[in-house]
Amino acid sequence: MNYTPPALDYAALAPMIVIFAAAIISVLVEAFTPRGVRRYLQLLIVFGALIASGVLIVLNAGTRTVTAGQAVVIDGPALVLQGAIVILAILGAALMAERSIDSVGDAFASRVSSLPGSEEEKQFTQRGYLQTEIWPLTLFAVLGMMLFVSANDLLLMFVALEVMSLPLYLMTGMARRRRLLSQEAALKYFLLGAFSSAFFLYGAALVYGYSGSITFPEIAQTITSKPGESLVLMIGLGMILIGLLFKVGAVPFHQWVPDVYQGAPTPVTGFMAATVKIAAFGALLRLLYVAFGGVRWDWEPIIWIVAILTMLIGSIVAVVQTDIKRMLAYSSVAQAGFILIGVAAASPAGIASTMFYLIAYGFTTIGAFAIIAMIRDANGEATNLASWAGIGRKSPIVASAFAIFMLGLAGIPLTSGFVGKFAVFAAAIEAGMVWLVIVGVVASLIAAFFYVRVIVVMFFAQPTEQTASVAIPSAFTTVALAAGVAVTVILGVVPQPVLDLVTNADVFIR
Amino acid sequence: MSAFPWLTTLGVLPLLGSIVVALLPKSKPTLAKQVALAVSFIVLGGTVAMALQFDGSSTAPFQFVESYPWIPAFGISYSVGLDGIGLVLVALAATLVPIVILAGWRDIEGDQESEGSVKGYFALILALEALMIGVFSATDVFLFYVFFEVMLVPVYFMIGRYGGPQRSYAAIKFLLYSLLGGLFMLASLIGLYVVSARELGTGTFDFLSLVGLDMDPNTQKMLFLGFFFAFAIKAPLWPFHTWLPDAAAQSKPGTSVLLIGVLDKVGTFGMIRYCLPIFPAASEFYAPVVIGMALIGIFYGAYVALTASDMKRLFAYSSMSHFGFIALGIFVFTSAGQSGSVVYMVAHGLSTAALFLTAGFLMSRRRESALISDYGGVNKVAPVLAGFFLVAALSSLALPGLVSFVGEFLVLLGAFERFLWVGAVATLGIVITAAYVLRLYQKSMTGPVNPSVEGITDLKGREITALVPIAALTITLGFYPAPLLNVINPAVDWTMSTISAVDPDPVLSSEGGQQ
């Protein structure tokens, strides 16, 4: 039997190929170039590749194709989400490239392999070594995410999941300060992530056993042609869902979120919070809508329950957090719940609103973490809410930017967060899910409490000795921050162009 | 309908003015004030020109209508238009802003406490004017909500940066209260959208479409609460009033005038414009509760005012009592009561302005003390000031011949028509009002000259210029309220007919007329 390689549509795959090539070059740079020039080469490669990939995605606008032997789909949702991932990755990379706000260098351990607190570590720090391994990892993670949202079969989806996740596990453990916390977070993330991957894989195997195929359209066909319930299919779908809901941080698979968000270097947290959510929700949407659209009535209740739990538990637990990173972590859990409302709608409007929400959320979150990285005291970042007291008086501009992000996350009108929430609520209403929306509104009210509380602490509390100071960032963070503020406000005031964009791109290739 | 975009122009002008003033160099505070005053006069001129074109006999619910899609995906549009109620409130805002600017000419420089710059204060006033015009003219409920919330920002800074020693506390209290109300209103707003989406197929925020909805009473009861809560905090009704005395006591007189005189009217305006027509069944259902709150507010406010030792707090509690009357007039569902409420809103705006400004002028001569006991015998050293204070005080107690009498009389008339005992109880409130107003005048203005006010100067040209128009309007509209009532009545009739309320048999109204 002759092996015929699958035909590849290089034009459609070009955005991913660019990132893949750049990632490999980036590894080689790490191995073969002298320490002094590495940073410049890496920055050139990373930003060059991301921008080039972004341009290629724009050029691909309107493409609808299935390629690589049914494994990869490039359609409207894939392009929109890939575009969002790439742009947010540029902002995330800008945060990682920042070297002005920490007096010692950047946010990453000089040498990750050195034991925390050891003589070796001290030596590296004293010599001022700064590592650049973060860059190839970032590129691989981005590649995984882009593939994740365009994967059209279970196997490729799994591969993409791993390509995305493995670098992120490593990046989580790279924090320069509070290294034990960071490494603990990385290990936790890795173990739980590996566990959830195993669920995904086992689920995929069961679904293959049921349908005899791993590609989504064929699974869908089998489901429609075989009437009646199938236990194998249900268990398989449930396990796959566990894998994906773990990645989006939905309750009850959210336990890793606060630890990882808190332990990871803040620029990585921002990058991860924004992009992983997009990638995972993109994959979830495609999987549920394309492959399992036929058993909608079976998975909708699951998504309902998970959405309600996620919104409520995320919001309620966030209220009692005193660490700002943990608070944002629970907030991200709550936000995942709101996005799940859009997923549950199971309609084109659901796809469009989910995508809008993801974009809005990504920019706001990355901006918020950019600021968290800037608020510092002698020990590094000051993430305790108490040390944010009165920051608004010391640095009104930075505090105002953070206030805008908080209002955006709370979903106050004139911010992107409101439009996003409204869009998913409207989609759910259209699908007849009034109760889900009522729970969503209640959860929003609870959530507004802790977002507004941060604003109150920043502006209305008197500064104390504990109050942290705001480091002056370089152009990298400034640009990312400005982009975050701009998008949060613009998508809130004139959202129609982006709403049109996502509405025009709300059809999957089935 | 008019082709000229009156409302947008009137809203954009002060906004641009605000930006210009904010961009002026800090070293030229006088120029900033002159620009601000000029802009506010242009806006006033524009408002007058617009009001002259208002057609009192038109049957269209709104005039000067403009509508452009804003977020068509959610049925949100930039839609503005005025009915008679909106028109008189826009006119009130446009009249008070130049007066406040003029009256507050020197308020900021002399104050060592203020954190902000002179130009900042005047820029904020103009920004607030733009938002006030927007909030009264929005005919898209979402647009209204946006104005309603954004308005908090300039007011927050006006209290929080330019005020007394406790200003920051007062500003936060104001902000948090208002934000809380706003959140509930937002939740109701989304609920309204949901209902409209189910009934009309596509969701909308257009006011008239929402009025046309056939909502079931239980939904109405839920959604009404969100709106009413926000409005009751804004207006403020008992028991949501506690932010008001603090805000009033810590603010500059000009801030208080705009806050209590105009901004708080958004609350009562919202009740008559939004709560009643959109949720008629719920309004009827909750009317006894609201009337109860209003009555308690009338007496509680008046009682606290009677014992207040601080002039600004006294005015705040007196306003709370007056807001009780306004809410009462709205929720008795009679044309007389509702027309009276709207006249009362205007009258209260004018009398509040006169009281706060005159008191402000007095306090600026006496190291900003607001304690009534620090004054006495002012009418001997500063007779003109005392004279204006008397007019303001009498307007506050609704002396016949002043515009507040028209409002109060109509409100009580309306109350008597519907529920005899409510009217009877509310009328007693007038007695306490007279008591605290006259007590204030007697203690501060008459009697032996308090040593601390000896040698204070009387009002000067600028200050008199600011007060004369208020006094003139108070008296003119008091004797001849027809221009006011002619524009208000059609709007009230429209509201009454949308909620299908009918005035009761006019047997009792003659009784009311005699009292």
Side-chain angles (χ1 to χ4, degrees):
Chain A
M1 203 167 102
N2 285 329
Y3 170 69
T4 29
L8 293 179
D9 181 344
Y10 285 103
L13 297 174
M16 285 184 275
I17 294 173
V18 169
I19 300 287
F20 188 41
I24 289 170
I25 297 170
S26 178
V27 173
L28 295 177
V29 165
E30 210 47 42
F32 295 113
T33 58
R35 184 176 290 278
V37 296
R38 265 185 225 162
R39 171 171 159 89
Y40 302 102
L41 281 176
Q42 294 288 21
L43 289 182
L44 197 69
I45 293 167
V46 169
F47 284 104
L50 287 172
I51 291 169
S53 176
V55 171
L56 288 168
I57 290 170
V58 174
L59 291 177
N60 271 344
T63 307
R64 285 177 66 81
T65 177
V66 183
T67 182
Q70 296 264 315
V72 177
V73 168
I74 302 294
D75 52 11
L79 284 169
V80 168
L81 295 174
Q82 285 188 346
I85 289 169
V86 166
I87 295 173
L88 287 167
I90 292 174
L91 301 186
L95 296 188
M96 293 183 219
E98 176 66 53
R99 280 190 172 173
S100 299
I101 50 185
D102 193 315
S103 52
V104 199
D106 53 19
F108 309 108
S110 311
R111 171 164 290 196
V112 184
S113 57
S114 62
L115 276 177
S118 67
E119 186 58 29
E120 191 193 9
E121 181 196 37
K122 213 175 283 170
Q123 288 274 323
F124 279 115
T125 312
Q126 267 168 10
R127 286 190 209 162
Y129 282 5
L130 297 173
Q131 56 112 328
T132 46
E133 285 125 9
I134 196 89
W135 298 116
L137 294 172
T138 306
L139 285 174
F140 277 117
V142 171
L143 174 68
M145 294 171 195
M146 292 172 74
L147 203 53
F148 208 24
V149 297
S150 51
N152 196 36
D153 74 31
L154 289 170
L155 206 55
L156 187 73
M157 190 170 259
F158 176 72
V159 171
L161 176 73
E162 291 305 303
V163 172
M164 169 180 90
S165 304
L166 289 171
L168 289 175
Y169 303 147
L170 285 174
M171 289 159 80
T172 301
M174 284 189 170
R176 169 184 293 279
R177 295 170 189 269
R178 291 197 261 182
R179 289 191 60 196
L180 286 174
L181 197 68
S182 170
Q183 295 188 347
E184 183 196 324
L187 190 66
K188 211 169 199 171
Y189 194 15
F190 169 67
L191 289 177
L192 290 174
F195 205 54
S196 77
S197 295
F199 268 102
F200 184 97
L201 202 55
Y202 193 40
L206 288 177
V207 170
Y208 176 72
Y210 165 80
S211 66
S213 169
I214 50 168
T215 66
F216 295 167
E218 283 171 24
I219 295 172
Q221 238 171 17
T222 321
I223 288 172
T224 39
S225 60
K226 278 193 200 172
E229 301 258 310
S230 157
L231 195 61
V232 178
L233 177 69
M234 285 306 117
I235 295 176
L237 172 60
M239 288 186 151
I240 294 177
L241 275 181
I242 289 175
L244 289 178
L245 290 174
F246 174 84
K247 282 293 159 198
V248 303
V251 177
F253 315 108
H254 67 290
Q255 268 87 1
W256 61 276
V257 177
D259 290 340
V260 171
Y261 275 39
Q262 187 185 20
T266 306
V268 172
T269 312
F271 166 72
M272 191 160 74
T275 52
V276 172
K277 204 145 256 171
I278 297 185
F281 268 109
L284 185 65
L285 277 175
R286 187 180 297 281
L287 182 89
L288 289 178
Y289 286 30
V290 177
F292 297 100
V295 283
R296 216 187 111 170
W297 304 112
D298 292 308
W299 57 255
E300 255 185 1
I302 303 176
I303 299 289
W304 263 68
I305 294 165
V306 172
I308 289 176
L309 285 178
T310 308
M311 286 188 290
L312 289 179
I313 291 180
S315 302
I316 292 169
V317 180
V319 170
V320 297
Q321 298 304 313
T322 52
D323 182 285
I324 199 118
K325 278 172 97 175
R326 284 186 88 83
M327 191 207 87
L328 279 189
Y330 281 107
S331 127
S332 107
V333 172
Q335 302 283 345
F338 294 122
I339 305 174
L340 280 171
I341 295 182
V343 176
S347 64
I351 302 176
S353 60
T354 306
M355 290 197 294
F356 185 94
Y357 202 123
L358 288 167
I359 294 169
Y361 171 76
F363 280 94
T364 308
T365 306
I366 225 163
F369 281 104
I371 289 181
I372 291 178
M374 287 161 54
I375 311 275
R376 310 179 78 85
D377 57 20
N379 301 319
E381 286 160 14
T383 54
N384 195 317
L385 199 55
S387 46
W388 285 53
I391 279 203
R393 292 160 193 262
K394 284 176 154 183
S395 321
I397 296 181
V398 173
S400 306
F402 200 77
I404 289 177
F405 295 138
M406 289 299 107
L407 294 177
L409 291 173
I412 302 295
L414 297 188
T415 64
S416 58
F418 172 77
V419 181
K421 277 213 178 92
F422 202 101
V424 293
F425 288 170
I429 292 297
E430 225 173 82
M433 304 176 169
V434 179
W435 283 104
L436 196 55
V437 172
I438 291 177
V439 176
V441 170
V442 171
S444 305
L445 284 178
I446 301 172
F449 172 76
F450 62 82
Y451 292 124
V452 172
R453 188 181 59 175
V454 181
I455 302 180
V456 171
V457 166
M458 284 195 304
F459 284 95
F460 305 140
Q462 291 297 332
T464 59
E465 289 122 51
Q466 264 196 64
T467 299
S469 56
V470 178
I472 308 294
S474 70
F476 284 118
T477 300
T478 314
V479 168
L481 197 53
V485 172
V487 172
T488 304
V489 173
I490 291 172
L491 285 191
V493 179
V494 276
Q496 197 61 39
V498 178
L499 283 172
D500 287 341
L501 175 77
V502 293
T503 311
N504 289 332
D506 64 1
V507 183
F508 286 117
I509 296 184
R510 283 163 200 279
Chain B
M1 296 216 189
S2 138
F4 185 75
W6 280 105
L7 290 167
T8 304
T9 316
L10 287 179
V12 167
L13 266 176
L15 196 63
L16 289 179
S18 162
I19 295 168
V20 170
V21 170
L23 292 178
L24 288 173
K26 253 188 186 161
S27 55
K28 290 186 179 159
T30 316
L31 181 65
K33 291 187 260 185
Q34 285 163 345
V35 173
L37 188 64
V39 171
S40 68
F41 268 115
I42 297 172
V43 175
L44 177 59
T47 310
V48 171
M50 177 181 75
L52 290 177
Q53 296 200 9
F54 188 84
D55 180 6
S57 58
S58 161
T59 50
F62 294 108
Q63 300 183 36
F64 313 116
V65 174
E66 296 167 55
S67 185
Y68 309 96
W70 177 15
I71 310 178
F74 305 148
I76 294 173
S77 62
Y78 171 84
S79 301
V80 290
L82 284 182
D83 59 1
I85 302 172
L87 179 73
V88 295
L89 291 172
V90 167
L92 177 68
T95 313
L96 288 181
V97 166
I99 290 174
V100 162
I101 292 178
L102 203 59
W105 203 254
R106 292 196 205 293
D107 274 3
I108 310 301
E109 281 102 326
D111 191 349
Q112 311 297 329
E113 294 243 4
S114 289
E115 292 172 59
S117 62
V118 174
K119 63 170 188 178
Y121 185 69
F122 292 92
L124 287 171
I125 291 182
L126 287 182
L128 183 58
E129 179 173 29
L131 294 168
M132 292 190 300
I133 291 175
V135 82
F136 289 128
S137 52
T139 57
D140 181 283
V141 187
F142 183 81
L143 186 68
F144 170 80
Y145 173 78
V146 167
F147 282 127
F148 187 82
E149 289 291 65
V150 176
M151 225 161 45
L152 300 179
V153 177
V155 181
Y156 166 72
F157 284 109
M158 283 168 76
I159 302 173
R161 305 191 75 160
Y162 308 89
Q166 299 291 315
R167 58 178 178 271
S168 147
Y169 167 76
I172 296 165
K173 199 167 173 185
F174 160 77
L175 189 73
L176 292 185
Y177 261 84
S178 306
L179 269 182
L180 187 70
L183 280 176
F184 281 98
M185 182 168 156
L186 181 60
S188 276
L189 207 62
I190 293 171
L192 259 186
Y193 178 86
V194 169
V195 174
S196 74
R198 301 182 105 196
E199 271 203 17
L200 307 172
T202 51
T204 180
F205 282 105
D206 177 57
F207 172 69
L208 290 175
S209 314
L210 292 176
V211 171
L213 288 180
D214 183 25
M215 227 185 299
D216 81 276
N218 287 325
T219 318
Q220 283 192 28
K221 282 176 201 166
M222 268 166 53
L223 298 181
F224 173 92
L225 283 181
F227 277 82
F228 182 76
F229 187 52
F231 295 146
I233 286 177
K234 189 69 97 183
L237 293 187
W238 181 89
F240 306 114
H241 63 279
T242 60
W243 63 269
L244 183 72
D246 288 312
Q250 298 302 325
S251 301
K252 288 271 170 250
T255 311
S256 301
V257 171
L258 293 180
L259 176 67
I260 303 176
V262 186
L263 233 159
D264 288 353
K265 301 296 182 305
V266 179
T268 46
F269 169 77
M271 290 175 201
I272 193 166
R273 162 65 74 77
Y274 293 100
C275 284
L276 259 52
I278 300 182
F279 313 108
S283 302
E284 218 181 312
F285 177 78
Y286 288 114
V289 181
V290 179
I291 290 174
M293 285 165 64
L295 286 178
I296 295 176
I298 290 174
F299 284 96
Y300 179 78
Y303 174 72
V304 179
L306 198 57
T307 57
S309 57
D310 175 308
M311 262 193 257
K312 289 176 167 180
R313 295 187 90 87
L314 187 151
F315 299 154
Y317 281 109
S318 124
S319 294
M320 185 190 153
S321 169
H322 291 312
F323 279 119
F325 277 107
I326 300 175
L328 179 68
I330 294 171
F331 278 88
V332 292
F333 304 116
T334 54
S335 348
Q338 295 185 350
S339 297
S341 286
V342 181
V343 176
Y344 211 138
M345 289 188 219
V346 176
H348 178 253
L350 292 173
S351 69
T352 307
L355 278 175
F356 270 104
L357 294 182
T358 323
F361 294 146
L362 181 61
M363 290 174 214
S364 68
R365 286 163 166 72
R366 180 60 188 72
R367 292 194 308 279
E368 302 297 335
S369 167
L371 285 180
I372 300 171
S373 53
D374 277 353
Y375 300 92
V378 174
N379 61 359
K380 299 192 182 65
V381 275
V384 180
L385 194 155
F388 276 110
F389 198 78
L390 184 62
V391 174
L394 293 177
S395 164
S396 185
L397 67 74
L399 188 78
L402 302 180
V403 63
S404 39
F405 172 73
V406 181
E408 197 162 287
F409 179 76
L410 284 171
V411 166
L412 291 174
L413 185 66
F416 270 112
E417 278 177 2
R418 184 70 68 189
F419 312 106
L420 184 62
W421 62 271
V422 170
V425 171
T427 312
L428 291 178
I430 303 179
V431 181
I432 313 184
T433 309
Y436 71 75
V437 167
L438 293 176
R439 170 182 162 273
L440 169 70
Y441 185 80
Q442 180 220 348
K443 286 209 169 175
S444 58
M445 297 293 154
T446 62
V449 179
N450 188 315
S452 64
V453 295
E454 263 171 37
I456 63 165
T457 51
D458 208 340
L459 293 185
K460 290 191 296 284
R462 170 180 62 84
E463 295 164 327
I464 294 176
T465 319
L467 291 175
V468 163
I470 307 181
L473 279 173
T474 307
I475 296 168
T476 317
L477 290 174
F479 276 103
Y480 186 60
L484 211 51
L485 288 170
N486 285 347
V487 292
I488 294 172
N489 283 337
V492 168
D493 291 342
W494 182 84
T495 309
M496 291 284 288
S497 69
T498 49
I499 60 177
S500 16
V502 189
D503 282 324
D505 203 353
V507 176
L508 282 172
S509 69
S510 57
E511 259 177 61
Q514 282 157 12
Q515 60 93 34

